[in-house]
Amino acid sequence: MATSKPLEVPVPDPVAASPWPTWPAADADHLLVTGTQMAELESQLFTSGLPVEALMEKAALAIARRLLATPPAAALVLVGPGHNGGDGLVVARELHLAGVPVRLWTPFERPKPLTSAHLRHCRWLGIPVLEGQPDPMDGALWIDGLFGVGQQRPIDDSLASLLTRRHQGRPGALVAIDVPTGLCSDSGRLVGSTAARARITYCLGLFKQGLVQDAALAWVGQLERIDLGLPTALLAPLAASQPLALGAADGATAPWPSLDPAAGKYGRGRLLVVAGSPSYLGAAQLCLQGASASGCGSLKALVPAAGAPGLWASQPHVVLLDTAALEPPKALERFDAVVFGPGLGADQRQADPSQQQLWNRLQGFRGLLLLDADGLNRLAELGQGLESGASQWLRQRQGPTWLTPHGAEFARLFPDLAGLAPLKAAATAAQASTATVLLKGAHSVIATADGRSWQLVKTCAGAARAGLGDVLAGYAAGRGAMAVAAERAVAAERFVGAQRAGAGNQPVAENRLGLATATLRLDGALLAAAALNHALAGCQVHRRGGPGGATPMAVAAALARQSFYQSAQI
């Protein structure tokens, strides 16, 4: 067994490398930034002449307005020594002036000058300042203004104990300004043993990457962005390579391909599903339900014999194949996309010549290949015998590849990247393998080889179910097949036009449609859009049917009814 080499990945210029339009807009509603990037943006504003006081007032007044929309009976502001503490003091001032009983807790000495000035004014207004540590059972709403963005050192044991006891005794009675105390704004991980557990986190200016990571969700609570009106010119340098957040409103602008209105079933996407095993018959059924929901025109499947009768009854439009149908060398050329892997189970025959032949054909397939579940596990096993691991096989693929692993599958496929944060892990894997990678989680990440990346921020934990990944694999592959069909039609039209021009407009033979996939380039944003629609369908069925109604079958049915895309598109 060969030892895989550490990945050495050149960093591409996303703007130069990507021919695709930016989706969604790289604006304040979508940009995901690090704490350092946010600090640099603020520094540029201050250098331009904007007073620090002005930005602090703008942020804190917006938070105060949100709090006063449903005024708390009382508030206790936890004041740190920096500008996060200054934000908290301005909020305290506004709540006090609006008639809310407010107290302050200032456990740190030597605050920054601006924070000290606001504290002096609050004292002048008569806002009480606690002499000692507050009672964790205190009935007021606690407002965490202790540290904010850029935390690197663990909080001390006394404060950690206070925050833990606060959540245990009064859960949901704390909100955070920008970033909960004790949480890394870049990774979303704890910087010590614990953190403030917020009901709402008011994120200032732009979304911090750490706040939308799976590890942070329990601490952040409901995430609300406070718009600071940052100039477009200030954000423009970030737009090239910055991860973008995907929310509910972005489904309406998703980049779906346009198909010829006169296209028949074979012109609307030809998909082959290879899924299921005796132990996982349902995976094939669910994958096919997702594929059917995509709207692709022709759907064929290679499934276990035991699962065939059920498919005839529930999905009679699916054409069932046997392994012999895929034996001819060019059998896959009849398809625009292949999804391989859901529920295939462990295969003990990887060394079998027929299995190697299958992987060779998948590698040479010029259409879209989506690998999921056991397809990924089998590729990981295959990659153990290659010098550069699975990435070597993927780089030699002759068509676009989409990978949809969860965390454990990702670790098997890219072991050198398993310890990285999701955004970094997915981006590095995509660049190393030239595939588009969907790293599944509560907030899934999607990354392309040209450097673009997205993260879902509108999801529903109550819709998490076994089988949802099978639905997603089929749905995404079906959408991908339709995109390949659209590209095929465009290439065919260009080919015929060029041939007629060369023949003096004389009749020419029909275009060899296989040429359309010879240089096929498929926008990885299509996978991000499919993942978003899948997540929104889960939210929809959970909202309507509750946790018990959020089944994979219900999500597939919701996907079939979706109208998130414009009527002028598919």
Side-chain angles (χ1 to χ4, degrees):
M1 183 182 298
T3 301
S4 62
K5 294 181 177 179
L7 296 174
E8 297 179 2
V9 183
V11 179
D13 179 347
V15 174
S18 175
W20 315 110
T22 299
W23 170 79
D27 56 21
D29 288 326
H30 298 99
L31 288 166
L32 295 172
V33 299
T34 65
T36 298
Q37 287 175 320
M38 192 68 217
E40 290 174 350
L41 293 175
E42 291 179 351
S43 178
Q44 292 180 52
L45 287 176
F46 301 147
T47 300
S48 75
L50 179 71
V52 176
E53 297 88 339
L55 192 63
M56 182 178 288
E57 287 283 323
K58 191 171 192 177
L61 289 174
I63 294 173
R65 284 193 294 271
R66 301 234 180 147
L67 290 170
L68 288 171
T70 307
L76 173 65
V77 181
L78 315 183
V79 182
H83 287 169
N84 192 250
D87 294 334
L89 289 167
V90 175
V91 172
R93 182 195 72 201
E94 293 302 302
L95 295 180
H96 171 78
L97 293 175
V100 176
V102 179
R103 292 164 297 146
L104 307 176
W105 182 49
T106 58
F108 301 97
E109 298 179 355
R110 296 186 298 277
K112 286 187 175 182
L114 181 54
T115 302
S116 180
H118 281 299
L119 177 58
R120 187 166 61 251
H121 180 64
C122 284
R123 289 181 183 274
W124 181 83
L125 288 173
I127 300 177
V129 180
L130 298 185
E131 294 295 330
Q133 193 177 81
D135 179 357
M137 296 300 294
D138 185 273
L141 173 69
W142 285 19
I143 300 173
D144 175 12
L146 289 170
F147 294 112
V149 72
Q151 300 172 58
Q152 296 179 341
R153 292 182 297 179
I155 56 179
D156 64 45
D157 292 342
S158 176
L159 180 55
S161 174
L162 175 66
L163 295 175
T164 298
R165 287 181 289 133
R166 176 62 177 179
H167 173 68
Q168 291 172 344
R170 295 298 303 268
L174 182 149
V175 299
I177 297 175
D178 209 11
V179 180
T181 291
L183 200 67
C184 175
S185 58
D186 292 347
S187 69
R189 297 169 180 165
L190 297 175
V191 296
S193 61
T194 191
R197 197 179 294 262
R199 174 169 54 87
I200 302 173
T201 295
Y202 297 107
C203 183
L204 303 181
L206 302 176
F207 289 120
K208 315 307 182 296
Q209 291 180 9
L211 299 183
V212 299
Q213 302 311 309
D214 292 2
L217 300 184
W219 308 100
V220 170
Q222 179 179 323
L223 183 61
E224 296 187 12
R225 188 179 70 85
I226 301 297
D227 188 28
L228 298 180
L230 300 176
T232 301
L234 182 70
L235 303 181
L238 292 175
S241 59
Q242 208 64 27
L244 299 176
L246 293 180
D250 299 313
T253 60
W256 300 117
S258 296
L259 293 174
D260 185 342
K265 60 184 178 182
Y266 296 127
R268 295 186 61 83
R270 305 166 300 175
L271 175 63
L272 171 64
V273 172
V274 183
S277 63
S279 298
Y280 301 105
L281 294 176
Q285 177 78 262
L286 292 172
C287 185
L288 287 165
Q289 286 187 9
S292 297
S294 73
C296 68
S298 173
L299 185 53
K300 297 182 180 182
L302 179 61
V303 301
L311 283 175
W312 283 115
S314 62
Q315 300 190 69
H317 58 286
V318 177
V319 177
L320 296 179
L321 305 178
D322 57 27
T323 54
L326 300 183
E327 289 177 358
K330 296 185 178 181
L332 294 181
E333 291 184 8
R334 295 176 294 160
F335 301 101
D336 296 308
V338 174
V339 55
F340 182 84
L344 286 180
D347 193 335
Q348 306 301 323
R349 300 175 298 116
Q350 283 286 76
D352 188 295
S354 64
Q355 289 296 303
Q356 185 59 54
Q357 184 181 64
L358 171 62
W359 283 103
N360 290 341
R361 289 180 180 175
L362 290 174
Q363 192 174 54
F365 175 50
R366 294 185 181 276
L368 168 66
L369 173 63
L370 188 151
L371 293 174
D372 182 58
D374 289 314
L376 297 166
N377 292 332
R378 294 187 186 187
L379 177 59
E381 183 179 343
L382 180 69
Q384 291 177 1
L386 303 176
E387 184 178 14
S388 300
S391 292
Q392 180 176 327
W393 188 92
L394 290 164
R395 285 194 297 269
Q396 294 171 352
R397 268 272 298 140
Q398 298 301 299
T401 308
W402 290 354
L403 309 177
T404 57
H406 56 57
E409 292 161 349
F410 183 90
R412 286 190 282 270
L413 199 60
F414 303 104
D416 293 338
L417 307 179
L420 298 179
L423 278 168
K424 180 66 173 176
T428 306
Q431 292 166 20
S433 65
T434 69
T436 296
V437 177
L438 192 168
L439 179 51
K440 292 185 285 193
H443 282 180
S444 297
V445 173
I446 305 93
T448 63
D450 59 27
R452 294 172 297 154
S453 59
W454 302 265
Q455 187 156 22
L456 305 185
V457 297
K458 177 61 176 177
T459 61
C460 179
R465 289 287 190 285
L468 273 183
D470 303 323
V471 173
L472 173 59
Y475 178 73
R479 286 294 184 192
M482 298 171 83
V484 174
E487 292 294 319
R488 216 168 21 94
V490 170
E493 185 177 347
R494 289 175 180 168
F495 178 82
V496 171
Q499 290 292 308
R500 285 176 176 164
N505 289 324
Q506 296 298 313
V508 297
E510 287 294 322
N511 173 36
R512 291 167 292 168
L513 295 181
L515 289 175
T517 58
T519 56
L520 176 65
R521 301 185 70 184
L522 198 61
D523 187 0
L526 293 166
L527 179 56
L532 174 62
N533 271 10
H534 179 265
L536 296 179
C539 293
Q540 180 187 51
V541 298
H542 182 269
R543 183 173 60 251
R544 292 181 177 178
T551 65
M553 295 77 74
V555 171
L559 284 168
R561 296 191 300 266
Q562 268 183 357
S563 58
F564 291 120
Y565 41 89
Q566 297 175 341
S567 60
Q569 296 174 314
I570 293 178

